[in-house]
Amino acid sequence: MPFATDFSPERIARFLAAETQRFRQAHPKSAALYAQAQRHLLFGVPMHWMADVPAPVPLFVDRAQGAQLWDVDGHALVDFCLGDTGAMFGHSPEAVTRALAEFAGQGATTMLPSTVALEVGALLEQRFGLPMWQFTATASDANRFVLRWARAITGRPKVVAFNGSYHGTVDDVFVDLAPDGSAITRPSLLGQVHDLAAFTRVVEFNDLPALEAALAPGDVACVITEPVLTNIGMVLPDPGFLQSLRAMTRKHGTLLVIDETHTISCGPGGYTRAFGLDPDILVLGKPIAGGTPGAVYGFTTEVGTRMQKAKQAAAPGHSGIGTTLSAGLLTLRLMRAMLSEVMTDAAYTRMFAISRRVADGLQAAITSRGLAWTVTRIGARCEYQFAPERPRNGSQARAAMHDDLEAALQLALLNRGVLLTPFHNMVLASPAHTEADAQALLGAFADALDALSAA
C-alpha cells in the first residue's frame, strides 16, 4: 500500500527547493547571524543539533511569549513546538514571570535544603502519588541517576529499554535492535568506547514475549520506558501492555521506571495518573520548572528505604549521583509556581481541546487528498506519520519516516508561519493556543500539501 511514496522523490525535491528559496528570501538576518556565528559557535549554533533543521539556515529567535515566537527578521510564528515540551504551558507563563521577579534577588543556588523543597515535594506527591522525591537539573540527569540507583539497590547489572524510546542523553539506552534482532550500540553516538549492549537489553514496544525473555534470567535491575513512545514517532501501547509490563517486572523482581518527560502532556498527573500506572520510580523534566533547567524523580517508600541502605553501605566518597546546581532555590520556586498555578486541570482541558481540533483537522486534510497517512493523538500531543496504520513499535515507526518529505513539509509550514518540532512531525498544544492558532496550522498544512501536489 502506498504511503509516503504518494509523492515521487523528484516532486518532493522540487517542492523542497522552492520552499528553501522562499525561506532564504524572507530570512536575511538569520542567514547573516548564522554566518557570523561560525566564528564562535560549533556548526554556527549554541548546541550542535540546533543546526539539524529543515531550513537552509537555522531560524534565529528574538523573543517568545505565550504560543508565539518572533524571529530576528520580524516574522511572528505560531509555536506548536514549544521547545520540544520545555515550554508546554506556553512561553513565560504569568506565574513563572511573577516568581522570577519576586525571588530572583533572593539567591539562585545554595546547595542547601530549603522550606520550598518540602512544599514542592508535597505538591509532587499530591499530583503523581509517589511519596519521595529527588531533584536534578535535567531529565537526562534524572534517568542517569535512576539507573545507577536501580543497579545499586538490586545488585543487578542489566537494564531493559524499548527500541526507539526516548530518555535524553543517557548512554545505557542508546541501544538499538539490529535487523537480525540483536542489540547494538547506536552507530550515531560520538566518542562511544563501551559496548552498551553488554548491559542493556532492548526489545520492541508492545512485544510481551520478548519482554518476558529479557527479564527471565533474573539479572535486570529495571525496565525504563515512556508510557507512549514519543521521539521516533508516536507509538501507543496496546491495550493491557503496560499492565502486563507491571506484572512481569514484579514477577521477576525488577523495578519499573516510567519516564514522563514528554507524556506529562497526557494530564495533570501525566500518563501515569491518567491511566492508573503504578511505577516504582517516575521521572519528569522539561516543563516542570517553567522551561528553565529542572527535573525530578519520585519513588515509593520501599524504594527509598532501599536507596538509603545502599548509600549507607557504600564506601565514603562521591556516589556519582547529583550535581551542584540540582535543587537550586530559584528552580524550586519556579517548580512550585508551575505545580500550584500553571499545570492546572483547566489548563489541560484547554490543551486537549486544541489538540483534538488539530488532530481531527490534520486527518481530514490527509484523507480528503487520498493520502495513506495517519494521525496519532494522546492528550495535548499529536503527530502525523507517513503510514496507513499507526505503528506498534519503534521499528515500524522508524520505517514510516521519510526524511525528505518531512523536511519539505516542516519548512513549508515554517514559511507559512507555523513551527512544529524538528526531527519528527509532533504538534504540542499549550493553554496559550487559540482556535485561531489551530486554524492557522491547519490552513498552512492544507496549503503546503496543495503546493507539494502542484510541484
Side-chain angles (χ1 to χ4, degrees), residues 23 27 53-55 58-61 63-64 67-71 75-84 91 384 409-429 433 437 440-441 444:
F23 183 93
H27 296 86
V53 294
L59 186 77
F60 278 68
V61 176
R63 68 191 189 281
Q68 281 194 309
L69 57 82
W70 291 262
D71 66 26
H75 305 292
L77 301 170
V78 181
D79 186 5
F80 281 99
C81 171
L82 299 169
D84 195 12
H91 298 286
Y384 60 89
L409 285 174
Q410 289 240 350
L411 179 56
L413 291 173
L414 190 61
N415 283 335
R416 289 157 178 80
V418 178
L419 178 67
L420 302 192
T421 303
F423 320 123
H424 49 112
N425 304 312
M426 195 272 291
V427 181
L428 184 61
H433 281 111
D437 294 330
L441 167 57

Side-chain angles (χ1 to χ4, degrees), residues 24-373:
R24 288 189 183 279
Q25 291 175 346
H27 296 86
K29 291 184 179 178
S30 278
L33 287 172
Y34 183 54
Q36 179 183 343
Q38 305 295 326
R39 173 69 176 82
H40 294 294
L41 305 178
L42 183 66
F43 298 107
V45 288
M47 182 167 55
H48 77 85
W49 48 258
M50 288 180 177
D52 297 339
V53 294
V57 300
L59 186 77
F60 278 68
V61 176
D62 180 51
R63 68 191 189 281
Q65 177 66 53
Q68 281 194 309
L69 57 82
W70 291 262
D71 66 26
V72 294
D73 286 284
H75 305 292
L77 301 170
V78 181
D79 186 5
F80 281 99
C81 171
L82 299 169
D84 195 12
T85 310
M88 189 176 77
F89 296 90
H91 298 286
S92 302
E94 192 275 333
V96 171
T97 302
R98 188 174 66 249
L100 284 168
E102 183 176 356
F103 297 113
Q106 297 185 27
T109 182
T110 61
M111 210 173 69
L112 292 168
S114 60
T115 57
V116 70
L118 278 66
E119 296 177 52
V120 173
L123 288 168
L124 288 167
E125 180 182 18
Q126 177 184 351
R127 183 176 291 262
F128 298 102
L130 291 167
M132 304 190 75
W133 295 85
Q134 290 283 274
F135 301 86
T136 68
T138 68
S140 290
D141 281 346
N143 283 321
R144 191 175 294 112
F145 301 155
V146 161
L147 295 187
R148 188 178 288 273
W149 276 122
R151 285 169 165 145
I153 68 177
T154 63
R156 297 177 174 187
K158 308 281 188 176
V159 299
V160 167
F162 290 103
N163 189 38
S165 61
Y166 171 75
H167 305 290
T169 58
V170 180
D171 283 3
D172 301 75
V173 299
F174 285 127
V175 179
D176 295 332
L177 278 181
D180 64 0
S182 63
I184 58 170
T185 298
R186 188 166 298 176
S188 62
L189 292 184
L190 295 174
Q192 183 61 54
V193 296
H194 300 291
D195 177 13
L196 300 178
F199 292 98
T200 299
R201 296 189 182 119
V202 57
V203 299
E204 292 284 15
F205 200 65
N206 285 318
D207 189 339
L208 289 173
L211 178 62
E212 173 67 30
L215 296 178
D219 57 354
V220 177
C222 71
V223 175
I224 182 169
T225 186
E226 305 172 90
V228 175
L229 300 191
T230 60
N231 214 54
I232 196 166
M234 288 176 65
V235 179
L236 302 181
D238 287 346
F241 172 71
L242 295 175
Q243 290 70 28
S244 296
L245 166 62
R246 175 68 282 191
M248 280 188 188
T249 51
R250 286 196 170 119
K251 170 187 172 183
H252 292 286
T254 299
L255 298 171
L256 175 59
V257 180
I258 297 292
D259 182 356
E260 291 264 19
T261 296
H262 281 166
T263 53
I264 187 60
S265 60
C266 294
Y271 194 102
T272 295
R273 264 291 170 87
F275 292 88
L277 307 185
D278 187 22
D280 298 295
I281 304 173
L282 180 143
V283 171
L284 174 62
K286 291 198 176 180
I288 191 68
T292 66
V296 299
Y297 58 98
F299 38 92
T300 64
T301 301
E302 188 267 340
V303 167
T305 299
R306 295 170 71 183
M307 288 175 171
Q308 289 174 328
K309 289 180 178 178
K311 180 67 176 74
Q312 291 164 355
H318 200 313
S319 65
I321 296 171
T323 58
T324 304
L325 296 182
S326 299
L329 189 57
L330 183 59
T331 298
L332 288 168
R333 283 167 166 159
L334 295 178
M335 287 185 182
R336 179 178 62 186
M338 289 295 299
L339 291 165
S340 61
E341 300 183 62
V342 180
M343 299 170 67
T344 64
D345 290 350
Y348 276 96
T349 297
R350 180 171 184 79
M351 293 156 67
F352 290 177
I354 293 293
S355 182
R356 188 178 303 110
R357 170 76 175 92
V358 168
D360 290 347
L362 290 174
Q363 189 65 68
I366 289 166
T367 302
S368 67
R369 288 162 176 79
L371 299 173
W373 305 349

